Amino acid sequence: MLRKNWLSRLLVATALVVLALGSTIALAAETIKIGAVYPLTGAVATTGADCRTGVELAVDIINGVYDLDFPFAKSEGLPNLGGAKIEVVFGDTRGDPTQGMAETERLITEEGVVAVIGGYQSGVVKTASMASERLQIPYVLSDATSPALTERGFEWFFRVIPHDGIQAKNALEMVKDIEAKEGTKLSRIAILWENTEWGANVAKAMRDWMDEYGFTMVADVPYAYRATDVTSEVLKLKSANPDVVIHASYVSDAILFTQTFKALDFSPKMLIGMAGYLDPSYLSTVGKDGEYFFVRAVYGLDLAARKPIVAEINELYKQKYGRDMSPNAARSFSAPFVVADAINRAGSADPAAIRKALLETNMAADDLISPYEGVRFDPETHDNVLGKSLYLQIQDGQFRVVWPFDLAAVPYVFPFPGWKK
């Protein structure tokens, strides 16, 4: 009788263990949702769509099995969570800060996402991240660069891409390097900026660095985002006679200013563009009129010469989308990997555990397709202390890496040859 009771209890205990293990395995293999907010409709929808492709490819690599020497590529899903897959749920900000906040709240409260990425426009990220901070969900940003975003003391907000303070410094360093190499003076700088959160902070960062590098700011020209006529702004620039123009714009503005520069025959020695100049619709609209603009970026396909994984990832991208990976897609590509790395190290989809793991992030340069030295977040600001930018120049309709010089794939063209040439 005692033997039967003992066997009975053993069978019950074994069954309970099996059930518990089954539940654990089922839980571990569950899909983990992350939210991605981008302007999928509206004035910068082409950029938003471009960013989305980078996110989608990243999630494909994390979830699938690929013969790549890259994080998560050789195993299916997140190994520390039993192969759990990442599911990305997109929200459309329409390029509007109010909509950005509403979509972020929806993804968190209705879709149950455990982290948020994306945003692209700093003004939209500003409000979207307020929602994630209030609801205590990690927000990992790899797209927007306003320094003010990480000066708010937020506990749940992290940024992978270098901010405009760093990138403004890099722009002026490039000008100094070209000045030295060419044996000429490029001391007269004009800044041109769209008047939203991002453009205003680019302008501020440029002003902050101008004196240190010995430049004179001869024009400081704001304009309304999505302006329809910029003749007066270009005439102001022409009157100031700068050696270099640095333009912070989104795509519709980049197109309009390029057309107006040509129409008014405005030809400084260097034209440096940001953000909108990388949008796929920029070159498809302006064509050869975009030649020889310098463009700020955190990716260039030319990096493949020194970093073969860039070519391998680009080949996957071409197979999926039929074109080369753009800088916008590439910078959005990084955020899902940073989030997946944190979730995997946390061994949990609990937002607080993910946040803790993000604070301990230490990704290597080889884990990225950007020129960053890695990803490690400042414990106070949560900016990536290992981020850095590079500069491309449009040559023969392609974005070629020209600075820093040790990463350059081709020589830069200087000075800007003028519209008649």
Side-chain angles (χ1 to χ4, degrees):
M1 190 71 175
L2 287 171
R3 181 180 175 85
K4 286 183 178 180
N5 286 339
W6 179 82
L7 284 171
S8 177
R9 288 174 183 172
L10 180 62
L11 288 170
V12 169
T14 302
L16 289 172
V17 169
V18 170
L19 284 171
L21 284 172
S23 298
T24 302
I25 293 168
L27 178 62
E30 281 182 356
T31 297
I32 298 171
K33 288 185 178 182
I34 65 171
V37 288
Y38 284 104
L40 302 177
T41 58
V44 288
T46 51
T47 302
D50 206 26
C51 293
R52 177 173 181 155
T53 62
V55 172
E56 290 172 340
L57 181 62
V59 173
D60 283 352
I61 293 171
I62 293 165
N63 288 341
V65 178
Y66 292 84
D67 186 20
L68 297 172
D69 189 15
F70 206 68
F72 303 106
K74 294 183 178 179
S75 61
E76 192 171 339
L78 305 181
N80 292 350
L81 283 87
K85 304 290 181 68
I86 295 291
E87 178 187 349
V88 61
V89 185
F90 286 93
D92 181 9
T93 70
R94 305 176 198 164
D96 176 73
T98 302
Q99 179 68 12
M101 176 182 278
E103 280 292 86
T104 304
E105 289 178 348
R106 179 184 69 81
L107 292 175
I108 295 169
T109 61
E110 297 181 21
E111 296 289 347
V113 303
V114 298
V116 177
I117 63 173
Y120 178 66
Q121 295 154 293
S122 292
V124 174
V125 173
K126 183 177 182 178
T127 56
S129 57
M130 288 177 183
S132 67
E133 187 75 10
R134 174 166 42 83
L135 296 167
Q136 298 190 336
I137 295 292
Y139 194 127
V140 176
L141 174 67
S142 62
D143 313 285
T145 54
S146 168
L149 295 172
T150 45
E151 294 171 353
R152 300 173 293 172
F154 280 15
E155 295 183 357
W156 297 82
F157 185 73
F158 298 81
R159 174 161 48 195
V160 180
I161 192 171
H163 62 64
D164 288 317
I166 296 168
Q167 300 205 44
K169 181 175 182 287
N170 291 160
L172 297 178
E173 286 172 339
M174 178 182 69
V175 174
K176 292 300 287 186
D177 284 352
I178 291 176
E179 190 179 57
K181 195 166 185 177
E182 297 295 324
T184 189
K185 293 298 290 182
L186 298 169
S187 58
R188 298 170 60 81
I189 307 285
I191 55 176
L192 175 65
W193 47 282
E194 55 83 35
N195 63 355
T196 70
E197 171 81 14
W198 172 64
N201 276 284
V202 170
K204 179 181 181 301
M206 288 294 174
R207 294 184 206 109
D208 290 345
W209 285 108
M210 202 74 68
D211 288 342
E212 182 164 333
Y213 283 92
F215 293 113
T216 300
M217 187 164 63
V218 297
D220 186 347
V221 182
Y223 63 89
Y225 167 54
R226 297 181 66 186
T228 56
D229 187 309
V230 293
T231 302
S232 63
E233 286 83 359
V234 176
L235 288 173
K236 285 179 187 176
L237 291 172
K238 193 168 184 178
S239 176
N241 191 31
D243 298 313
V244 180
V245 172
I246 300 172
H247 185 198
S249 75
Y250 292 118
V251 62
S252 60
D253 309 328
I255 292 168
L256 181 58
F257 271 97
T258 299
Q259 293 168 337
T260 310
F261 289 160
K262 181 179 181 180
L264 297 178
D265 194 26
F266 174 56
S267 302
K269 294 175 184 175
M270 288 181 71
L271 288 159
I272 301 175
M274 302 178 181
Y277 290 85
L278 294 171
D279 186 284
S281 65
Y282 173 73
L283 278 182
S284 67
T285 303
V286 303
K288 291 183 178 180
D289 290 341
E291 289 287 299
Y292 311 123
F293 278 71
F294 292 83
V295 186
R296 182 184 82 176
V298 292
Y299 169 86
L301 185 53
D302 288 329
L303 292 174
R306 290 173 173 82
K307 206 171 189 178
I309 190 64
V310 170
E312 295 176 68
I313 297 291
N314 184 66
E315 187 56 35
L316 288 179
Y317 187 90
K318 283 181 77 171
Q319 290 172 14
K320 188 174 177 68
Y321 297 106
R323 61 184 185 275
D324 286 327
M325 193 176 215
S326 71
N328 282 330
R331 68 181 185 178
S332 298
F333 177 82
S334 64
F337 284 99
V338 175
V339 172
D341 173 70
I343 295 171
N344 190 57
R345 283 185 290 106
S348 169
D350 174 61
I354 298 169
R355 177 188 174 276
K356 182 177 182 296
L358 284 167
L359 288 167
E360 298 165 356
T361 294
N362 191 17
M363 295 178 70
D366 289 344
D367 295 338
L368 306 160
I369 59 170
S370 67
Y372 308 158
E373 295 171 0
V375 179
R376 188 168 67 241
F377 295 113
D378 182 282
E380 293 185 9
T381 65
H382 299 175
D383 269 313
N384 178 16
V385 299
L386 301 177
K388 63 179 183 179
S389 61
L390 49 76
Y391 272 83
L392 315 176
Q393 189 179 47
I394 301 170
Q395 297 183 13
D396 297 322
Q398 302 294 319
F399 291 98
R400 307 305 306 272
V401 176
V402 295
W403 188 91
F405 294 152
D406 63 336
L407 295 179
V410 296
Y412 60 83
V413 173
F414 175 90
F416 181 73
W419 301 106
K420 293 177 182 178
K421 297 181 182 180

